[in-house]
Amino acid sequence: MRPKYMRSPLIPEMATQEVQLNETLAHLKTESETLKSKLEEERAKLHDVELHQVAEKVEGLGQFVMKTRRTLKGHGNKVLCMDWCKDKRRIVSSSQDGKVIVWDAFTTNKEHAVTMPCTWVMACAYAPSGCAVACGGLDNKCSVYPLSLDKNENLAAKKKSVAMHTNYLSACSFTNSDMQILTSSGDGTCALWDVESGQLLQSFHGHAADVLCLDLAPSETGNTFVSGGCDKKANVWDMRSGQCIQSFETHESDINSVRYYPSGDAFASGSDDATCRLYDLRADREVAIYSKESIIFGVSSVDFSLSGRLLFGGYNDYTINVWDVLKGTRVSILFGHENRVSTLRVSPDGTAFCTGSWDHTLRVRAICSLI
Amino acid sequence: MTSNSNLSNMRRLVEQLKLEASVERIKVSQAAAELQQYCLQNATKDALLVGVPTGSNPFREPRSCAVV
């Protein structure tokens, strides 16, 4: 699923024009190389200390015991994505089997189920009102389903097609209302859509390959979002202008997940290079890497605890690693899933976190005790 | 022609780099201090960090589990 680049053959009469264009091209290339070096230089000047050095005096964290409190069974194939409802108890999840399920995580009851016309539903999201869910995947679309109180009603009948991409939908998120949806796609772009009309409000171009993930800045910090892609870049965008305002390229492989730090001043990323990284937006650089030599499998999804002190990472080796964000050390490793962890989200009030896996299940975990 | 699109792509890249270079930055020491401050200020509200009083976490099953 990578874009192909086509080359047209040279026509002899255009040779002179070609030479002139090549000269300008070379000039621009040099200018871009110079600018890139200058950018690195400017960033390096302010790199006076490491985050973990600043955090040396902070008290270390005790041992954690986090237990699985609920296991949600019902998907017939790999769980690919999940999202929490603002009510802190409902969860929407989507799967390779084409099904999107809404669960009450307290009781583990399935409240709604929708069968999509495609398999690999890679993205799903709960609307802020709790009255609708959005989802999509290999159908290249993002569709919104209003959730009916009538359990017998066929949800598929009220389906609204909102987003249209030219490749798979990798992620979607409502903005701070039910009216707008942000999407990312294998076609290399992100886009903002009006739910009611399906109109494209803004598109975001800049990634050189599939965009795999996105996250909206906490509402207090303004209209920006971050995206990560197969081009190893994490880009921060201005939602109104469509402009990429900051770009970070330190990962060595695809970025599968991005998540804002709760204050909005930083964001974390998880990558196929087996590391999670923290980027501070005001310092405009990477400020921490969360990795161990023993961790060699890719990170599929990351999320912060409420205070931002803990970073949870779901990995392709079936585990969850919990990192001390400030000190850069791992505080816990959690087992339980029998296949890759594909999606991970902390609940809206931070009391629990949910993981979805290729083992067809979702698990909700909460802290048990501090030793 | 492909060369023309390469040219406009390069022009866009140069403009983008100029924009990114003009971003105002602060020192890592200051940024790190503020990240740390946020963590510490909100630590007591972070249930996954400090736990919650017995019985008040909706996901806990009713059993005797010591919460310090």
Side-chain angles (χ1 to χ4, degrees), chain A residues 266-277:
Chain A
F267 69 90
S269 58
S271 162
D272 275 352
D273 69 7
T275 71
C276 300
R277 296 179 196 232

Side-chain angles (χ1 to χ4, degrees), chain A residues 8 14 18 21 29 39 46 48-49 54-55 58 64 69-70 244 261 280 282 284 305 307 350 367-369, chain B residues 1-3 7 10 16-19 25-29 31 34-36 39 46-48 58-59 65-66:
Chain A
S8 58
M14 302 201 183
E18 195 70 25
L21 279 166
K29 200 163 195 298
L39 188 58
L46 297 162
D48 53 346
V49 77
V54 167
V58 174
F64 285 86
R69 290 300 175 197
R70 301 287 189 276
C244 171
Y261 186 77
D280 188 287
R282 286 144 337 129
D284 187 38
S305 69
S307 67
I367 201 164
C368 177
S369 62
Chain B
M1 259 180 74
T2 318
S3 308
L7 200 63
M10 281 306 292
Q16 180 61 32
L17 286 168
K18 282 183 185 162
L19 186 87
R25 293 175 197 89
I26 65 172
K27 285 195 185 155
V28 175
S29 49
E34 293 183 26
L35 289 176
Q36 182 177 301
C39 275
D46 189 342
L48 288 168
F59 285 107
C65 200

Side-chain angles (χ1 to χ4, degrees), chain A residues 12-33:
Chain A
E13 305 83 83
M14 302 201 183
T16 322
Q17 277 186 30
E18 195 70 25
V19 167
Q20 285 171 341
L21 279 166
N22 281 338
E23 279 168 0
T24 323
L25 210 58
H27 173 75
L28 282 170
K29 200 163 195 298
T30 318
E31 200 181 349
S32 78
E33 307 278 293

